[in-house]
């Protein structure tokens, strides 16, 4: 499958280039040229394992561009998945549990205890295969803007991977202390971490600018480890199929039944993977976009107006503190076409606003529903879920659970909540929800364990003892200069 730019269908590249470049030359995002021709064998879902599902999805998207000349590309992807996840995940990468009248798929059992690991444990392997396919010896420098979780996961995935560098920019004071320590303690010799004086949107805009601006000498290329990179989205498609497969295997649903997903959303990457799953044939009723207090997306889905001219809040679900949701561009492409997408993106850049027309909004709403939860509702939801059902969730997952509670009367069929982070990653807020105060985040981890008895993920144990190895701060307009420096050093 080839990939084209969401802003210009004439810009077409193969899988290797889409993965290595991360973003199209016109600033658009890559999508497969013909999603309509792609199919997942849904009828086999009751007999397929999670790893097989992931290998099937990867083959469908990248099979024509990677492992060139191989006789059995599926087997190549399958062993790649085994290698990547065998190290990264202790058991099931997306266990499905039932809590009350909903299902929850826990996506946080990877090394950094958030769902970003599902893709970022694989992305470095895909990058290596892309380099092989292109017969390229160039160093690949992966730029990463993070609201907290992508940074740690990217560093974990790319640390000391030969032929790559990974550069992370996170908003100073915009992440949790646990998230920050995960990043600044990275020991990889190819890792660079910076705090940005600004919020996530500043970091993301700076990185996108650097991707277009930085002068590259011979032997080096820039890419992205953010969900603008198609290699980030594709692995995430797998857990939508896997959740369905688990429900089938347990007899909770029948083949063909439509199910819903509620997704805590920031950059619209995770939920967009759900849209890809739908286009590949998964029976989905609604994809429900759950926003926190920064509810630019739920407002958009309500009104058709996307407007970032509004106050930005630092909330207790910080990984969703985002106003410019990059991956919405991919949905616009499918609904409005490339030309209008380019216009909307131009308007967003120049005026911070665009408005889609009524028909376009109606088409989006056939699939997407929306809702939001403010900070107090998040805390209340955590408390209720724990006290009534004995189930401990983090603040991001709580946003989705609250939106599910609000919406469940309108949803038909089973509903799966995507649980995106371990409660221990946001211990202070989770403790507060349970009526306990502990402002030292590291102490809060121990206290939460004492109170609930829930196991602390391995990746977070002893986190406060890890040495700070990166302590540099950059101004938001200084990102390009920093990247230029890193690109120059060999
Ligand atoms: C990144 C993140 C989200 C939002 O996912 P998007 O793909 O950006 O929409 C939600 N929850 C957690 C814990 C995250 O790290």
């Amino acid at each position: 499958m080839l990939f084209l730019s969401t802003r210009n269908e004439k810009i077409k590249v193969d899988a290797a280039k889409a993965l290595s470049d991360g973003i199209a030359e016109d600033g658009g995002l890559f999508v497969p040229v013909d999603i309509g021709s792609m199919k997942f064998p849904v009828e086999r879902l009751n007999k397929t394992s999670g790893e097989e599902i992931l290998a099937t999805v990867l083959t469908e998207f990248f099979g024509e561009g990677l492992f060139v000349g191989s006789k059995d590309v599926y087997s190549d992807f399958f062993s790649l998945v085994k290698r990547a996840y065998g190290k990264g995940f202790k058991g099931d990468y997306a266990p499905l549990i039932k809590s009350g009248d909903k299902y929850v798929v826990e996506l946080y059992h990877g090394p950094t205890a958030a769902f970003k690991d599902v893709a970022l444990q694989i992305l470095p392997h895909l990058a290596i295969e892309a380099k092989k396919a292109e017969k390229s010896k160039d160093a690949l420098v992966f730029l990463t803007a993070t609201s907290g979780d992508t940074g740690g996961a990217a560093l974990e995935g790319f640390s000391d991977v030969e032929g790559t560098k990974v550069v992370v920019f996170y908003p100073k004071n915009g992440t949790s202390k646990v998230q920050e320590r995960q990043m600044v303690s990275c020991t990889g010799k190819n890792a660079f971490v910076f705090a940005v004086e600004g919020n996530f949107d500043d970091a993301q805009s700076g990185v996108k600018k650097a991707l277009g601006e930085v002068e590259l000498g011979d032997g080096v290329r820039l890419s992205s480890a953010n969900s603008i990179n198609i290699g980030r989205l594709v692995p995430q498609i797998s857990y939508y199929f896997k959740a369905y497969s688990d429900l089938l295997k347990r007899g909770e649903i029948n083949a063909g039944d439509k199910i819903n997903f509620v997704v805590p959303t920031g950059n619209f990457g995770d939920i967009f993977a759900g849209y890809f799953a739908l286009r590949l044939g998964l029976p989905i009723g609604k994809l429900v976009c759950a926003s926190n207090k920064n509810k630019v997306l739920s407002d958009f889905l309500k009104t058709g107006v996307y407007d970032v001219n509004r106050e930005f809040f630092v909330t207790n679900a910080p990984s969703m503190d985002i106003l410019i949701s990059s991956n919405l561009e991919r949905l616009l492409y499918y609904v409005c076409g490339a030309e209008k997408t380019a216009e909307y993106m131009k308007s967003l850049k120049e005026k911070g606003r665009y408005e889609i027309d009524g028909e376009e909004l109606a088409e989006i709403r056939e699939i997407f529903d929306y809702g939001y939860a403010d900070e107090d509702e998040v805390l209340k939801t955590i408390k209720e879920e724990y006290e009534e059902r004995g189930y401990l969730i983090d603040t991001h997952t709580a946003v989705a659970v609250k939106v599910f509670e609000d919406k469940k009367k309108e949803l038909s069929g089973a509903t799966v909540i995507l649980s995106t982070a371990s409660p221990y990653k946001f211990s202070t807020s989770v403790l507060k929800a349970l009526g306990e105060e502990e402002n030292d985040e590291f102490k809060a981890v121990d206290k939460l364990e004492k109170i609930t008895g829930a196991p602390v993920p391995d990746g977070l144990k002893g986190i406060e003892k890890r040495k700070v190895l990166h302590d540099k701060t950059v101004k938001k307009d200084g990102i390009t200069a920093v990247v230029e420096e890193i690109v120059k050093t060999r």
Side-chain angles (χ1 to χ4, degrees), residues 208-253:
K208 275 194 185 168
K209 214 163 135 224
L211 282 172
E213 263 179 20
V214 168
E215 300 268 346
L216 294 170
D218 288 343
V220 60
R221 280 166 78 181
L222 289 183
S223 187
S224 165
N226 283 105
S227 53
I228 56 175
N229 193 325
I230 189 77
R232 266 286 305 282
L233 286 190
V234 171
Q236 292 174 185
I237 299 169
S238 68
Y239 45 73
Y240 286 88
F241 283 102
K242 183 176 174 300
Y244 197 94
S245 158
D246 285 341
L247 289 171
L248 274 178
K249 288 174 188 164
R250 294 180 203 171
E252 305 273 337
I253 57 169

Side-chain angles (χ1 to χ4, degrees), residues 197-390:
E197 289 176 3
N199 61 32
F200 170 74
D201 292 309
D202 297 320
Q204 175 163 256
S205 306
V207 162
K208 275 194 185 168
K209 214 163 135 224
L211 282 172
E213 263 179 20
V214 168
E215 300 268 346
L216 294 170
D218 288 343
V220 60
R221 280 166 78 181
L222 289 183
S223 187
S224 165
N226 283 105
S227 53
I228 56 175
N229 193 325
I230 189 77
R232 266 286 305 282
L233 286 190
V234 171
Q236 292 174 185
I237 299 169
S238 68
Y239 45 73
Y240 286 88
F241 283 102
K242 183 176 174 300
Y244 197 94
S245 158
D246 285 341
L247 289 171
L248 274 178
K249 288 174 188 164
R250 294 180 203 171
E252 305 273 337
I253 57 169
N254 296 313
D257 287 354
K258 285 189 178 176
I259 67 169
N260 314 293
F261 291 91
V262 188
V263 188
T265 298
N267 221 351
F268 210 73
D270 203 7
I271 196 167
F272 193 76
Y275 178 79
F276 270 148
L278 172 87
R279 297 295 303 263
L280 289 176
L282 188 67
I284 293 179
K286 288 278 188 221
L287 291 166
V288 185
C289 172
S291 299
N292 69 11
K293 196 178 174 189
N294 294 295
K295 59 185 180 57
V296 63
L297 279 169
S298 85
D299 286 349
F300 168 74
L301 291 167
K302 187 172 172 186
T303 62
V305 178
Y306 196 94
D307 193 350
V308 300
N309 303 301
R310 61 174 70 209
E311 195 179 341
F312 175 86
F313 301 103
V314 174
T315 75
N316 55 14
S319 302
M320 291 155 64
D321 291 342
I322 294 174
L323 292 182
I324 303 174
S325 291
S326 299
N327 282 292
L328 189 58
E329 176 169 351
R330 287 187 161 106
L331 180 63
L332 293 177
Y333 166 76
Y334 284 111
V335 175
C336 318
E339 212 171 300
K340 281 179 95 177
T341 301
E343 275 170 35
Y344 293 146
M345 290 303 110
K346 188 158 175 272
S347 172
L348 181 65
K349 196 167 174 203
E350 287 166 3
K351 305 190 195 103
R353 181 185 191 281
Y354 61 86
E355 178 168 7
I356 61 173
D357 66 38
E359 269 170 41
E360 292 165 345
L361 181 61
E363 193 180 327
I364 289 174
R365 289 253 290 269
E366 276 172 29
I367 302 150
F368 288 89
D369 207 335
Y370 58 90
Y372 74 96
D374 67 23
E375 290 188 278
D376 288 341
E377 289 169 331
V378 163
L379 298 183
K380 202 166 150 250
T381 304
I382 293 171
K383 184 178 164 71
E384 274 171 18
E385 190 65 34
Y386 185 67
E387 287 180 354
E388 287 168 27
R389 291 175 281 278

Side-chain angles (χ1 to χ4, degrees), residues 1 3 14-16 19 38 40 49-86 93 118-119 121-133 230-232 234-235 238:
M1 183 63 60
F3 295 83
D14 62 15
L19 288 162
M38 298 167 95
F40 185 96
S49 74
E51 282 79 9
E52 287 165 345
I53 289 171
L54 178 49
T56 305
V57 170
L58 289 170
T59 307
E60 195 63 36
F61 275 78
F62 301 133
E64 272 166 40
L66 306 188
F67 298 115
V68 183
S70 161
K71 282 200 198 70
D72 188 353
V73 176
Y74 170 81
S75 296
D76 294 332
F77 276 114
F78 186 73
S79 38
L80 186 151
V81 169
K82 279 280 189 201
R83 236 181 309 135
Y85 280 12
Y93 67 87
V118 175
Q121 285 294 303
I122 289 268
L123 187 63
H125 296 268
L126 295 175
I128 290 167
E129 293 309 323
K131 275 178 69 159
K132 280 190 211 154
I230 189 77
R232 266 286 305 282
V234 171
S238 68

